[in-house]
Amino acid sequence: SQQGEEDPQALSIQEGENATMNCSYKTSINNLQWYRQNSGRGLVHLILIRSNEREKHSGRLRVTLDTSKKSSSLLITASRAADTASYFCATDSSEGGYNKLIFGAGTRLAVHP
Amino acid sequence: DGGITQSPKYLFRKEGQNVTLSCEQNLNHDAMYWYRQDPGQGLRLIYYSQIVNDFQKGDIAEGYSVSREKKESFPLTVTSAQKNPTAFYLCASSIVHRKVSPEAFFGQGTRLTVV
């Protein structure tokens, strides 16, 4: 069962522009994480935001969380060609007594030079 | 170097064969996970393990089996019962936290193709 759903499915921008990706989820969460995946590679953790936080920054990344709307957004400012990748949000599920991550389908970002 | 290693990178399987994908970590993590990724899709959880000699089924465990005899190792066997095994398989590990999902560390994946 997928908890997070990213929007848009694909995004194409020019270098220097900002990229915004959204994630919606269905049930309450303890935290929400964003990951990046280069084509054919594993996922790399970008940022984690806890349910009691509304905004978090890391370098050119800005993540917001709105628990009332069950949604999060990832903003990449001043994008570079090297930012081309798929971006996934992951939410936690405590089913079975242990926390595990549930991933959405991802947003494919293409940044053109 | 600390990390998580998957092997092989590419694997070809004939119809009716069982194949085993390797996953090893030296991060001293208690939890390990196997995910399946289909083209253009997100990750779906196959199996996960929080401690040695214990593991739980994820959302799509049918046709797969795992073992966790050592903390460092969590091999995944794709059996002949898995009707559509062609996919990209990702292994991950993390610390165990009962209340909050910790950051997961991923291997580079194994691409399995049925020939």
Side-chain angles (χ1 to χ4, degrees), chain A residues 1-2 30-31 33 35 37 40-43 45 48 50 88 92 95 98-105 108, chain B residues 33 35 37 40-43 45 48 50 59 88 90 97-104 106-108 111:
Chain A
S1 56
Q2 287 193 329
N30 294 309
N31 65 45
Q33 303 181 38
Y35 288 79
Q37 182 183 34
R41 307 296 294 274
L43 277 69
H45 181 263
L48 180 153
R50 301 187 190 283
F88 296 88
D92 57 346
E95 183 180 327
Y98 294 94
N99 264 288
K100 54 186 185 286
L101 287 175
I102 306 297
F103 289 83
R108 293 186 304 281
Chain B
Y33 313 82
Y35 290 90
Q37 186 178 31
Q41 302 295 313
L43 281 66
L45 184 64
Y48 63 105
Q50 306 284 337
D59 298 319
F88 190 51
L90 286 160
H97 194 297
R98 300 233 169 194
K99 291 188 177 180
V100 179
S101 291
E103 172 187 350
F106 282 82
Q108 293 303 301
R111 188 167 299 281

Side-chain angles (χ1 to χ4, degrees), chain A residues 32-77:
Chain A
L32 185 144
Q33 303 181 38
W34 284 91
Y35 288 79
R36 166 194 168 124
Q37 182 183 34
N38 286 1
S39 180
R41 307 296 294 274
L43 277 69
V44 175
H45 181 263
L46 293 176
I47 197 165
L48 180 153
I49 186 164
R50 301 187 190 283
S51 59
N52 61 355
E53 296 176 311
R54 291 297 167 257
E55 189 171 310
K56 201 161 183 181
H57 297 256
S58 177
R60 293 184 297 111
L61 305 181
R62 173 177 165 250
V63 169
T64 61
L65 180 64
D66 187 335
T67 53
S68 66
K69 295 181 180 178
K70 292 187 170 57
S71 67
S72 173
S73 67
L74 170 67
L75 168 68
I76 304 174
T77 60

Side-chain angles (χ1 to χ4, degrees), chain B residues 39-93:
Chain B
Q41 302 295 313
L43 281 66
R44 292 184 290 168
L45 184 64
I46 306 173
Y47 268 98
Y48 63 105
S49 169
Q50 306 284 337
I51 196 170
V52 174
N53 292 323
D54 188 40
F55 47 83
Q56 290 79 40
K57 292 181 179 180
D59 298 319
I60 56 164
E62 186 175 349
Y64 301 97
S65 66
V66 293
S67 63
R68 187 83 187 278
E69 296 177 1
K70 298 187 301 181
K71 186 176 183 178
E72 301 80 16
S73 179
F74 191 40
L76 173 74
T77 296
V78 184
T79 74
S80 56
Q82 172 48 241
K83 298 306 177 190
N84 185 22
T86 295
F88 190 51
Y89 291 86
L90 286 160
C91 180
S93 71

